[in-house]
């Protein structure tokens, strides 16, 4: 490769024009897919972009860029995001299972409005109160309900 061609290739890489169109498209699709999963995880907790940004020390605009796929996540930033959302890193990856229309194999990140509100309230509590809420929920889940309890819940 001649010196001028090598310099041109380096210059193109610096300006984001290096590599094949297929690789750039693959990278863009990957970033958008990760961004969609990031948004779904954030919404499942009932967090705004601003609230997530505050947890991470970022601007809400940067969170927005990650969510739409304009900016890709580095591995370290993806780990920070996953930690802030209380999920594992694999939940952000495109190969992770998605919810189905039938509800079979339901994605645990797909939560209804009431559950998202409960999660938001829970995460707003001090750690000692969160521990009490967890104990209470465990007690309730282990309690045997009779038919009158089911009727009241409906």
């Amino acid at each position: 490769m001649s010196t001028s061609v090598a310099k041109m290739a380096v210059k193109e890489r610096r300006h984001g024009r290096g590599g094949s169109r297929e690789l750039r498209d693959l990278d863009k699709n990957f970033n958008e897919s990760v961004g969609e999963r990031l948004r779904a995880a954030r919404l499942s907790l009932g967090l705004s972009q601003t609230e997530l940004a505050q947890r991470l020390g970022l601007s809400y605009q940067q969170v927005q860029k990650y969510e739409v796929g304009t900016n890709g996540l580095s591995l370290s930033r993806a780990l920070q995001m996953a930690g802030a959302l209380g999920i594992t890193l694999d939940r952000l990856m495109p190969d992770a299972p998605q919810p189905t229309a039938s509800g079979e194999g339901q994605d645990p990140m797909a939560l209804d409005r009431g559950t998202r509100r409960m999660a938001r309230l829970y995460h707003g509590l001090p750690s000692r109160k969160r521990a009490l809420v967890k104990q209470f929920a465990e007690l309730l889940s282990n309690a045997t309900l009779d038919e009158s309890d089911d009727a009241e819940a409906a």
Side-chain angles (χ1 to χ4, degrees):
M1 182 184 304
S2 72
T3 307
S4 62
V5 173
K7 286 180 183 179
M8 216 165 71
V10 168
K11 185 178 177 182
E12 284 184 352
R13 282 191 204 105
R14 283 188 191 145
H15 295 287
R17 293 186 298 261
S20 69
R21 167 171 252 123
E22 293 83 15
L23 285 176
R24 287 191 307 270
D25 289 345
L26 182 63
D27 194 39
K28 180 181 180 222
N29 292 339
F30 180 82
N31 289 342
E32 288 172 354
S33 179
V34 170
E36 288 171 10
R37 291 167 175 275
L38 175 62
R39 182 175 190 273
R42 175 182 60 78
L43 290 174
S44 74
L45 292 176
L47 293 174
S48 68
Q49 289 177 338
T50 301
E51 291 167 326
L52 178 58
Q54 288 172 345
R55 288 184 180 190
L56 297 163
L58 301 172
S59 67
Y60 78 90
Q61 293 97 334
Q62 187 59 51
V63 171
Q64 185 178 47
K65 287 178 182 182
Y66 288 138
E67 287 186 1
V68 297
T70 302
N71 290 7
L73 290 169
S74 66
L75 180 57
S76 61
R77 181 66 74 196
L79 286 168
Q80 288 175 334
M81 289 281 192
L85 294 166
I87 60 174
T88 58
L89 184 60
D90 65 322
R91 297 293 307 141
L92 296 176
M93 296 300 108
D95 294 334
Q98 292 295 298
T100 60
S102 68
E104 190 174 299
Q106 184 73 25
D107 185 341
M109 297 307 294
L111 303 174
D112 63 34
R113 180 180 289 186
T115 305
R116 288 193 309 266
R117 183 168 189 273
M118 289 294 292
R120 187 173 50 251
L121 292 170
Y122 173 80
H123 286 288
L125 294 171
S127 61
R128 290 183 69 198
K129 288 185 179 179
R130 281 197 307 261
L132 290 172
V133 169
K134 284 172 69 174
Q135 287 176 345
F136 181 66
E138 288 170 359
L139 285 171
L140 283 178
S141 69
N142 293 329
T144 305
L145 298 176
D146 61 22
E147 291 180 32
S148 63
D149 289 335
D150 289 337
E152 288 177 25

